[in-house]
Amino acid sequence: MITPVILCGGSGTRLWPLSRKSYPKQFVPLVGENTLFQGSALRMQGADFAAPVVITNSDFRFIVVEQLQEVGIDPGAILIEPEGRNTAPAVLSAALHLQKEDPEAIMLVAPSDHVVPDVAAFQAAVERGLEAVEQGQLVTFGIAPTRPETGYGYLELSEASDGGPVALRRFVEKPDAVRAEEMLAAGDFLWNAGIFLFKVKDIVAAFEAYAAELMAPVAAAVDGAESDLGFCRLAPEPWAKADDISIDYAVMERASNLSVVPFTGAWSDLGGWDAVWREGERDARGVMTSGDATSIDCSNSMLRSENDAVEVVGIGLDNVITVAMNDAVLVASMDRAQDVKKAVDALKANKAAQATTFPKDHRPWGWFESLVIGDRFQVKRIHVHPGASLSLQSHHHRAEHWIVVSGTAEVTIDEKVQLVSENQSVFIPLGAVHRMRNPGKVPMVLIEVQTGAYLGEDDIIRYEDVYARGQGAKG
């Protein structure tokens, strides 16, 4: 039995504005109907696979559960990182967690944001790696390159492979264009996919041998973990002492028992909008459109609208990326797709909220989005899942007016509890202790009008919360 371990904490800045720190690319349906995270989880389902272990952060924990449930997957442990420390501490924490049950367990470690259309081919590659795993090898997977890519690291094989595992000669950092052409022509280099297969006891032994400094803080974080509504929160103090380092640097580039399984099927890490364009459906002129987008005499371009109220029209464009949302628009040359992260850095320097904050804010009870923000007022649309409830809370600086547009809300204001139906409204005075719940079996949608001197999300005092979020904007 193989236990999938899904790494789910990245921010994906090269796919801004659709991917942001508050809601990164793995949770977005970039290619196809499922999100990248759902696709990763579905790829590791079947008789040979146990329930997945997911490593994520506190803000994403309910999104992880919700998206797995949407595709019929019951997760195993969900480990909550107190802060991002890169892939080495994350993988080690999962290994130490699994070691408590079975040191012989086999882990399949995979990122949550890759696209692999041929699931059968992927699982066949995993099966080919099992023989090496049984011999104590650490197995990594290399992708047969299809172009001289400068955005990926490479794996140099020690010998030709017939599809089975072979020894790795060395890791190669991201090359320049000339070197990438040379490696493609040589035929013995593969893209480094960052996917690994090994036994728990073998990867723990590798950490002890090559990254011993990580063992004590990560082990203490796992041993001191606390259960929280079914989530496993790693202890924050020892976790903060772990080095911020990737598993490649910490272990894989030093290990002598590393084998590589080549994978010749289609694969992409969707590391930029140019990759999304390559993976998507394009017309005869190489144009990919999504949402309310229209192409007139364009070629080799992508036009994407993420807002029903925004029409994107391209005329005479060539080699251009256009992505429009309700709060930000990206227009870039396809050749500069990897530089989108520079835009995020520039926006951060200007303290623009669009750099990191997604317009739709997902919460365990549903989501909300700001429709209009003005001086001393804000208008939101709030969507509450059936049976879900917001926390019992109050605000220091704002009053609220709720208008139900779909479904029925059970509203608590101080000592009064009432049902508010479609087209009805209710006023929540400043300082009143209040709560909203959806008692029905269909989503409830309302419009919230806030008025006051300060309208920040951190102006929340929670008294009761079924999601145990504590204080703060998200808790």
Side-chain angles (χ1 to χ4, degrees):
M1 189 70 71
I2 300 170
T3 299
V5 175
I6 305 176
L7 307 179
C8 193
S11 58
T13 55
R14 287 176 293 181
L15 288 176
W16 183 89
L18 186 58
S19 176
R20 309 187 196 182
K21 182 179 179 181
S22 69
Y23 200 72
K25 67 175 182 176
Q26 59 262 33
F27 300 121
V28 177
L30 280 163
V31 178
E33 295 183 358
N34 291 326
T35 69
L36 301 182
F37 170 61
Q38 289 172 327
S40 296
L42 289 168
R43 198 156 50 244
M44 295 180 283
Q45 290 289 294
D48 296 329
F49 295 92
V53 172
V54 181
I55 306 171
T56 188
N57 64 46
S58 185
D59 286 348
F60 302 154
R61 65 194 190 279
F62 294 107
I63 299 172
V64 163
V65 173
E66 182 178 321
Q67 292 206 350
L68 289 177
Q69 289 176 341
E70 285 177 356
V71 293
I73 295 176
D74 186 15
I78 297 178
L79 307 183
I80 307 300
E81 294 179 299
E83 58 182 294
R85 308 302 291 168
N86 216 315
T87 54
V91 172
L92 179 57
S93 68
L96 294 174
H97 174 83
L98 292 170
Q99 186 181 49
K100 294 180 179 182
E101 295 292 331
D102 182 11
E104 297 287 335
I106 297 174
M107 299 169 56
L108 175 60
V109 179
S112 60
D113 55 1
H114 290 185
V115 172
V116 184
D118 192 339
V119 173
F122 174 79
Q123 293 189 357
V126 171
E127 186 175 356
R128 290 196 296 273
L130 289 176
E131 182 179 350
V133 168
E134 291 298 336
Q135 297 171 358
Q137 293 286 297
L138 308 178
V139 173
T140 187
F141 295 84
I143 310 301
T146 57
R147 61 186 183 278
E149 176 62 58
T150 60
Y152 300 151
Y154 285 72
L155 308 170
E156 184 179 4
L157 303 182
S158 61
E159 59 183 297
S161 170
D162 60 359
V166 298
L168 175 70
R169 176 170 293 164
R170 65 187 176 109
F171 285 83
V172 180
E173 294 293 332
K174 295 176 181 179
D176 59 25
V178 173
R179 182 61 179 139
E181 289 277 8
E182 293 173 349
M183 289 191 290
L184 181 64
D188 54 357
F189 291 86
L190 304 174
W191 290 334
N192 183 2
I195 302 172
F196 304 100
L197 184 71
F198 34 63
K199 284 189 176 181
V200 167
K201 66 176 185 179
D202 294 326
I203 191 60
V204 171
F207 272 100
E208 291 172 338
Y210 305 111
E213 67 280 0
L214 288 175
M215 290 299 301
V218 176
V222 172
D223 290 339
E226 296 182 353
S227 179
D228 175 10
L229 295 178
F231 302 103
C232 181
R233 286 186 177 273
L234 301 175
E237 290 187 10
W239 184 260
K241 298 176 182 177
D243 290 342
D244 185 331
I245 187 171
S246 73
I247 190 171
D248 280 354
Y249 287 139
V251 173
M252 296 302 170
E253 294 188 5
R254 305 178 186 183
S256 59
N257 59 331
L258 194 63
S259 293
V260 182
V261 173
F263 179 69
T264 58
W267 170 89
S268 176
D269 71 343
L270 291 189
W273 284 113
D274 55 336
V276 176
W277 173 78
R278 282 193 296 268
E279 293 297 319
E281 293 185 5
R282 303 184 297 275
D283 65 18
R285 300 191 60 173
V287 176
M288 176 185 176
T289 58
S290 178
D292 295 321
T294 301
S295 168
I296 300 173
D297 297 331
C298 297
S299 59
N300 302 318
S301 296
M302 181 172 68
L303 304 172
R304 185 174 184 127
S305 174
E306 293 294 328
N307 189 319
D308 293 340
V310 176
E311 291 281 345
V312 174
V313 180
I315 302 175
L317 302 178
D318 179 60
N319 209 43
V320 170
I321 299 163
T322 304
V323 182
M325 301 189 68
N326 64 342
D327 67 336
V329 178
L330 169 70
V331 181
S333 169
M334 190 78 72
D335 298 333
R336 301 291 298 275
Q338 295 300 309
D339 289 337
V340 171
K341 58 185 177 182
K342 294 182 179 179
V344 177
D345 292 338
L347 290 172
K348 286 180 180 178
N350 292 333
K351 302 186 184 307
Q354 290 90 334
T356 57
T357 304
F358 200 70
K360 184 180 289 185
D361 197 327
H362 291 259
R363 300 296 173 93
W365 44 260
W367 53 264
F368 70 82
E369 61 180 336
S370 294
L371 303 178
V372 180
I373 301 177
D375 185 24
R376 297 181 61 90
F377 80 93
Q378 179 173 203
V379 181
K380 290 181 178 179
R381 174 167 57 179
I382 299 178
H383 174 112
V384 183
H385 297 319
S389 172
L390 281 68
S391 61
L392 185 67
Q393 60 186 252
S394 66
H395 310 294
H396 282 305
H397 303 288
R398 70 175 184 255
E400 297 171 341
H401 191 176
W402 294 343
I403 305 99
V404 176
V405 297
S406 177
T408 299
E410 180 188 276
V411 177
T412 299
I413 304 175
D414 291 327
E415 303 301 322
K416 183 179 180 181
V417 180
Q418 59 185 304
L419 292 178
V420 183
S421 301
E422 187 172 322
N423 295 323
Q424 294 181 332
S425 63
V426 63
F427 177 68
I428 298 93
L430 186 150
V433 177
H434 61 281
R435 172 161 46 201
M436 176 200 315
R437 188 175 76 89
N438 180 0
K441 297 183 178 180
V442 297
M444 185 266 291
V445 179
L446 59 81
I447 300 299
E448 176 181 86
V449 180
Q450 300 177 352
T451 57
Y454 177 72
L455 306 174
E457 285 303 313
D458 55 348
D459 181 21
I460 295 178
I461 303 170
R462 290 191 179 93
Y463 304 97
E464 295 177 7
D465 183 42
V466 296
Y467 307 106
R469 287 172 292 171
Q471 300 300 329
K474 292 189 176 182

